[in-house]
Amino acid sequence: MKSFDIKTKVYFGDNALDRLSEIPYKKVLVITDPFLAQSSMINLITDPLKKGHIEYDIFQDVVPDPPIEKISEGVKKLLAYKPEAIIAVGGGSAIDSSKSIREFAVRIEHYGDVGLIAIPTTSGTGSEVTSFAVVSDPAEQRKYPLVSRDLTPDEAILDAELVKSVPPAVTADTGMDVFTHALEACVSTDRNDFATALAEKAIEICGVFLLRAYLDGSDTHARQKMHSASCLAGLAFNSASLGLNHGMAHQLGATFHIPHGRANAMLLPHIIEFNSDINKHSKSQAKYLPAVERYKTVARILGLSSYNTIMTVRNLVNWVQFMLKEMDIPLSVSQMGKISKEEYFAEIERMAEAALADGCTATNPRVPSKADVMKIYESLW
């Protein structure tokens, strides 16, 4: 027996941030990063809190790929301030940090239920509606996915005002993260009809609006649509989980600090080829791997269907590569120019082992071997 539910109440559309003046809490801790805390954007959060006569303090020590040390500092802050709720404002790092801080603080000192309101400032992670968080251990060069229903935010507020100023490069990386979330949810071994419906809608939105949002950041309609797509994809993979793409991307981020969405995007053409066992040299087969039919459905949603299975899957790979080129995302690690070949290849075996142990890899539609993963990392160079 399976089940599907959505724990998080989502507020979206024009003036969604007005919800902050109505929240049922009188004392909250805002968790964000230093840049946002010191910019005028923080007023979009604090002004409605003031209007609602809600006491607040700000913890602004969030950094990318939140390390265990920063989580500990946040736990100390929360236990000292004892808010009724946390308001997480930022990208995946801020929201993941907030989830982890609440989880660990409540385990240390359960002084009462602590609400969690997530307000994303990028359209990418879907973390505002998921039961996942990722914590980094810099000493071990590892990222550890945490999974618990208790991590899921109680509310999410999606307001395009917060993403208008996101630069094109970040729009590209986070947008491809949305697409990867949705695509992996579609082919996951744990997929279900409900998650697939959400994922397919997210894919449709990406096909229409991602490039628009990248080319014109002031296109509010495209921004709001990508914000919705990010949330839909988050709901999808929260139910269906992910796959090898994320398992491998986590290692690239932990080892070489490649932004998560960018790592996902760069890997995606290679993963589609692996999961389908279809590449540019393939010929028609009597029988295809299970993921192929799902990839064909995605290709149809994007308007990429062709006269046979091989060409349809190849069109999907080509579309991903086209999007990367259009949005100036490198197609290979060597194109980035910041990592030496010797340094990269020296880490491949260790990254492959860590990718296989990553929780996301377990639901990949094709079971990879260590040699398979190493080959993909090598091809990515």
Side-chain angles (χ1 to χ4, degrees):
M1 182 173 65
K2 295 184 177 181
S3 66
F4 179 85
D5 68 291
I6 299 173
K7 175 185 175 183
T8 309
K9 185 164 185 177
V10 180
Y11 295 84
F12 61 97
D14 295 341
N15 305 313
L17 286 170
D18 288 351
R19 166 61 184 166
L20 289 174
S21 65
E22 306 166 355
I23 56 175
Y25 308 108
K26 291 302 177 185
K27 183 178 183 181
V28 299
L29 178 64
V30 178
I31 296 181
T32 189
D33 60 77
F35 174 79
L36 195 146
Q38 294 160 24
S39 73
S40 59
M41 193 182 297
I42 195 66
N43 296 330
L44 295 173
I45 308 300
T46 57
D47 285 351
L49 291 177
K50 292 173 183 175
K51 182 180 177 181
H53 305 289
I54 298 163
E55 180 186 343
Y56 68 87
D57 197 359
I58 299 175
F59 176 76
Q60 56 177 289
D61 211 7
V62 170
V63 298
D65 299 324
I68 294 170
E69 297 78 28
K70 295 295 183 182
I71 301 299
S72 298
E73 292 174 19
V75 169
K76 292 176 185 175
K77 175 70 175 181
L78 188 143
L79 291 177
Y81 187 61
K82 287 186 167 52
E84 296 174 38
I86 293 170
I87 299 177
V89 186
S93 295
I95 298 174
D96 280 7
S97 293
S98 300
K99 291 177 175 180
S100 304
I101 288 168
R102 180 177 71 159
E103 178 74 1
F104 295 138
V106 168
R107 289 187 182 187
I108 293 170
E109 184 182 334
H110 191 80
Y111 65 84
D113 292 332
V114 180
L116 176 56
I117 300 170
I119 307 176
T121 58
T122 61
S123 303
T125 67
S127 188
E128 68 273 10
V129 290
T130 71
S131 56
F132 297 85
V134 178
V135 177
S136 297
D137 184 348
E140 294 291 329
Q141 291 188 320
R142 292 283 297 273
K143 285 188 175 183
Y144 296 98
L146 307 178
V147 186
S148 169
R149 180 175 168 78
D150 293 339
L151 294 172
T152 312
D154 302 291
E155 295 186 13
I157 299 175
L158 311 179
D159 197 315
E161 284 297 317
L162 292 168
V163 293
K164 279 184 178 178
S165 60
V166 172
V170 177
T171 299
D173 290 349
T174 54
M176 287 307 297
D177 199 15
V178 173
F179 185 80
T180 307
H181 288 154
L183 187 60
E184 289 210 287
C186 276
V187 300
S188 164
T189 56
D190 275 356
R191 69 183 181 277
N192 57 72
D193 289 346
F194 301 94
T196 299
L198 295 166
E200 289 180 355
K201 185 60 181 180
I203 286 166
E204 178 190 322
I205 293 172
C206 287
V208 177
F209 292 103
L210 174 52
L211 205 51
R212 268 181 58 175
Y214 171 78
L215 294 171
D216 181 6
S218 63
D219 186 339
T220 305
H221 184 59
R223 288 290 199 186
Q224 188 64 59
K225 285 292 188 179
M226 284 306 300
H227 227 26
S228 295
S230 177
C231 187
L232 289 167
L235 290 169
F237 83 77
N238 193 50
S239 173
S241 193
L242 294 162
L244 179 61
N245 209 113
H246 270 75
M248 293 182 67
H250 288 153
Q251 316 320 317
L252 290 172
T255 307
F256 297 111
H257 307 292
I258 299 173
H260 176 66
R262 178 160 296 202
N264 270 327
M266 292 166 64
L267 281 162
L268 193 52
H270 302 272
I271 300 299
I272 295 172
E273 290 186 345
F274 173 75
N275 285 341
S276 63
D277 197 24
I278 291 174
N279 57 50
K280 61 186 177 182
H281 304 296
S282 295
K283 295 182 180 180
S284 294
Q285 304 159 31
K287 187 176 181 181
Y288 295 94
L289 294 178
V292 170
E293 284 302 317
R294 301 301 310 144
Y295 286 139
K296 285 173 63 179
T297 299
V298 170
R300 187 187 72 245
I301 291 168
L302 294 170
L304 304 172
S305 293
S306 189
Y307 52 86
N308 67 25
T309 296
I310 297 291
M311 287 303 300
T312 298
V313 175
R314 289 305 307 161
N315 285 347
L316 178 58
V317 172
N318 292 339
W319 181 87
V320 173
Q321 293 174 328
F322 164 81
M323 291 294 285
L324 267 56
K325 291 174 183 176
E326 287 292 300
M327 298 189 294
D328 290 324
I329 296 176
L331 271 73
S332 66
V333 175
S334 59
Q335 284 183 10
M336 299 179 70
K338 297 179 180 179
I339 303 165
S340 72
K341 186 174 183 178
E342 294 74 21
E343 181 184 12
Y344 179 76
F345 275 78
E347 296 287 351
I348 283 179
E349 183 173 5
R350 185 193 60 77
M351 289 195 300
E353 292 171 351
L356 288 172
D358 191 288
C360 294
T361 302
T363 48
N364 196 66
R366 183 181 179 189
V367 178
S369 67
K370 179 178 172 182
D372 290 330
V373 179
M374 289 181 67
K375 185 177 179 181
I376 295 171
Y377 276 132
E378 289 166 3
S379 299
L380 188 64
W381 173 253

